[in-house]
Amino acid sequence: MQELYDTQAPNPPSRAILVGVKLRDTLMHETEESLQELRQLTETAGIEVVCETIQARNVPNPTYFIGEGKVKELKDVVAELEADAIIFDEELSPAQTRNIENVLDIATVDRTGLILQVFAQRALTSEARLQVALAQLEYALPRLTRMWTHLSRIATSGGSGSGALRGPGETQLEMDRRWVRRQISQVKKALETVEKRRQVQRRNRAEKVKVSLVGYTNAGKSTLFNTLTGENVLAEDKLFATLDSTTRRVSLPENQNILLSDTVGFIKKLPHQLVAAFKATLEEVAEADLLLHVVDISHPEAETQIAAVDTVLQELDASDIPMVMAFNKIDQLEKEDQLHILKAHYPEAIPISAQRGDGIEVLMEALAQRFASHGTMIDLSIPYTEGKALDMLYKHGTVLGTEYAEDGVHVKARLPSRYLKSVLQFSVKDTETPIYN
């Protein structure tokens, strides 16, 4: 598929000043922790952080978000440190962005814009690039006069450039807006095709039990996915290493089979543009039978990250899905009491190390117990001539025991209700009692 829009900025900044704002309803340590995360995002984007500053305000300044005096102070810092970008740990309005850029004559990026840039760099597949492109275009539309906005006119089937001549009295800005709206329409159409394909894939997997890994970015979901599946998907100690959903079959104890999906990580203040753009991918979460919430227990703000994940799950209408919580990275704990404190709040959470393998057997047993009653318990006597029925049991059900006798194979199994009709003729009991979670 041909690219519609270049998600990568042609001349991204290289030296940035980070600005945090402590508002009246936030604590200073929360602001400091959020600014530290902004530093990680900035470094993930390949930008050097040359300075960090926090201003305390009761409410945001409507003109600059920060105070006018702080803006003048930053002008001197920009010149002294030769910075080429100011990055705010808040979402700025288009007007605030323009006002700051007019005073400082420097690229001004807010938290949402930076996250979008990181996503653009991490998008490896055509689907991920389409999703990032949609989020960027919708974010850029009201900000077209920004210094860091890039509208790469990539050649389309109709030719190159903006694709249209300027109309009578039409300004460059109006033409750019028209171009962006047309690009949004084209990307949405392409994503509709992707979504239809995903719906077909989900229908084909409907009979399987589906488990989705969820968690804060860099909690170790991809490492755990690799450990449980034997796969080798990209797992880096970086924010948003995974943007594409990957699904693989996993065999649990007692011969139970599930489909496990690795998904994009969440973050505080996750831009709503990204939630909307990644709708097709995130539906893997919303349609799961169980969520496996991976928490980086070694992170000092682990409980805050749990709350951030819960917020995104509510946005996805997925907060009512049953959940198993795994406290990951126990091998990186500096203080054991952190595990005990969170264990008191989440007593059913399972401590693991996806990297070392600690606790993985316990986690697998917990998942197996969750699905132990998924379906109908049934006792069958299958003639040796009916091998297809036995194959179907292994493929779609959970075989708990087999005994080879003269008249056939005696099987004790658990089978989803939709498959009962095909094997009821082999039943050795008059009734079957459905047992569900």
Side-chain angles (χ1 to χ4, degrees):
M1 183 183 61
Q2 193 168 19
E3 293 282 1
L4 298 174
Y5 173 79
D6 187 5
T7 57
Q8 295 279 7
N11 296 300
S14 58
R15 295 169 58 83
I17 296 171
L18 307 187
V19 179
V21 181
K22 183 212 169 293
L23 299 174
R24 180 171 48 201
D25 56 349
T26 58
L27 300 174
M28 179 57 79
H29 82 87
E30 293 173 339
T31 304
E32 291 171 346
E33 180 60 38
S34 187
L35 194 65
Q36 175 61 28
E37 186 173 81
L38 188 74
R39 170 185 275 272
Q40 285 183 276
L41 285 165
T42 304
E43 292 172 346
T44 299
I47 303 170
E48 180 186 358
V49 176
V50 296
C51 179
E52 296 178 13
T53 182
I54 293 176
Q55 183 180 44
R57 293 186 60 85
N58 286 332
V59 294
N61 180 321
T63 305
Y64 302 109
F65 202 97
I66 54 177
E68 187 174 351
K70 188 67 172 178
V71 175
K72 291 179 180 177
E73 176 189 318
L74 284 173
K75 191 171 181 66
D76 295 332
V77 178
V78 167
E80 180 183 348
L81 298 179
E82 298 180 346
D84 55 5
I86 295 277
I87 302 178
F88 279 74
D89 193 28
E90 302 290 342
E91 183 163 347
L92 303 177
S93 70
Q96 288 168 336
T97 302
R98 287 193 293 270
N99 293 335
I100 296 169
E101 287 182 339
N102 287 338
V103 174
L104 300 183
D105 192 30
I106 192 173
T108 301
V109 185
D110 62 10
R111 185 183 179 90
T112 297
L114 180 63
I115 291 174
L116 290 175
Q117 287 299 318
V118 172
F119 266 62
Q121 293 175 357
R122 312 298 282 180
L124 301 178
T125 66
S126 58
E127 179 182 349
R129 287 195 293 270
L130 278 172
Q131 291 170 318
V132 171
L134 178 60
Q136 285 187 323
L137 287 162
E138 292 184 333
Y139 175 77
L141 188 57
R143 296 171 169 84
L144 289 183
T145 57
R146 285 180 51 187
M147 292 174 60
W148 200 18
T149 295
H150 59 290
L151 298 176
S152 302
R153 270 67 166 170
I154 294 187
T156 63
S157 58
S160 60
S162 63
L165 295 175
R166 188 182 304 181
E170 186 178 32
T171 65
Q172 180 65 46
L173 178 58
E174 289 167 340
M175 190 173 70
D176 283 347
R177 283 177 178 159
R178 186 155 53 88
W179 183 87
V180 170
R181 290 191 184 100
R182 187 168 63 249
Q183 289 288 300
I184 288 173
S185 176
Q186 292 177 8
V187 172
K188 281 184 174 179
K189 286 180 181 176
L191 279 173
E192 284 175 7
T193 302
V194 170
E195 192 164 350
K196 289 176 183 176
R197 187 170 68 243
R198 280 193 176 274
Q199 287 173 354
V200 171
Q201 290 173 344
R202 279 194 288 269
R203 279 197 298 270
N204 292 339
R205 302 195 304 246
E207 73 278 1
K208 291 294 185 182
V209 176
K210 297 180 288 294
V211 177
S212 283
L213 289 165
V214 297
Y216 209 78
T217 181
N218 206 33
K221 295 183 300 301
S222 294
T223 302
L224 180 59
F225 181 86
N226 288 339
T227 299
L228 296 180
T229 64
E231 289 288 324
N232 191 29
V233 301
L234 180 66
E236 294 182 277
D237 187 19
K238 289 184 178 180
L239 302 183
F240 301 117
T242 301
L243 295 189
D244 293 285
S245 176
T246 305
T247 301
R248 293 292 184 271
R249 178 173 157 172
V250 174
S251 294
L252 299 177
E254 299 185 23
N255 196 37
Q256 297 154 301
N257 293 315
I258 64 171
L259 291 176
L260 183 68
S261 294
D262 190 17
T263 58
V264 62
F266 301 157
I267 196 170
K268 284 179 291 186
K269 308 173 190 173
L270 186 68
H272 67 273
Q273 292 97 337
L274 280 175
V275 175
F278 277 71
K279 179 174 178 288
T281 300
L282 291 173
E283 278 182 355
E284 297 286 351
V285 173
E287 297 191 5
D289 296 298
L290 179 79
L291 301 179
L292 179 50
H293 183 173
V294 184
V295 179
D296 177 1
I297 190 65
S298 70
H299 198 284
E301 294 293 324
E303 199 156 11
T304 303
Q305 294 184 351
I306 291 172
V309 171
D310 289 341
T311 298
V312 178
L313 290 176
Q314 288 173 4
E315 282 189 57
L316 298 172
D317 293 325
S319 54
D320 292 333
I321 299 174
M323 179 185 291
V324 169
M325 185 175 287
F327 284 162
N328 190 29
K329 303 188 183 182
I330 57 173
D331 54 313
Q332 297 181 25
L333 273 174
E334 295 181 0
K335 298 179 180 178
E336 284 292 331
D337 58 351
Q338 185 170 349
L339 176 59
H340 299 318
I341 291 170
L342 275 182
K343 254 294 200 179
H345 292 167
Y346 305 95
E348 295 185 359
I350 301 166
I352 66 166
S353 168
Q355 189 76 45
R356 283 196 325 205
D358 302 2
I360 297 301
E361 287 187 13
V362 177
L363 177 62
M364 296 281 273
E365 287 288 348
L367 292 175
Q369 289 175 17
R370 282 289 185 132
F371 296 117
S373 57
H374 189 86
T376 299
M377 188 76 76
I378 190 168
D379 288 320
L380 306 171
S381 178
I382 302 175
Y384 289 109
T385 56
E386 299 289 342
K388 287 185 178 179
L390 191 61
D391 290 342
M392 188 276 292
L393 283 175
Y394 276 102
K395 182 177 180 182
H396 298 297
T398 301
V399 176
L400 302 175
T402 57
E403 181 183 344
Y404 292 86
E406 290 186 9
D407 59 338
V409 185
H410 295 180
V411 183
K412 187 178 186 65
R414 192 175 286 111
L415 190 65
S417 300
R418 63 176 66 88
Y419 297 108
L420 285 177
K421 287 184 180 179
S422 61
V423 294
L424 280 179
Q425 58 182 310
F426 308 121
S427 175
V428 295
K429 286 188 177 182
D430 294 331
T431 60
E432 293 78 38
T433 305
I435 310 174
Y436 297 101
N437 279 340

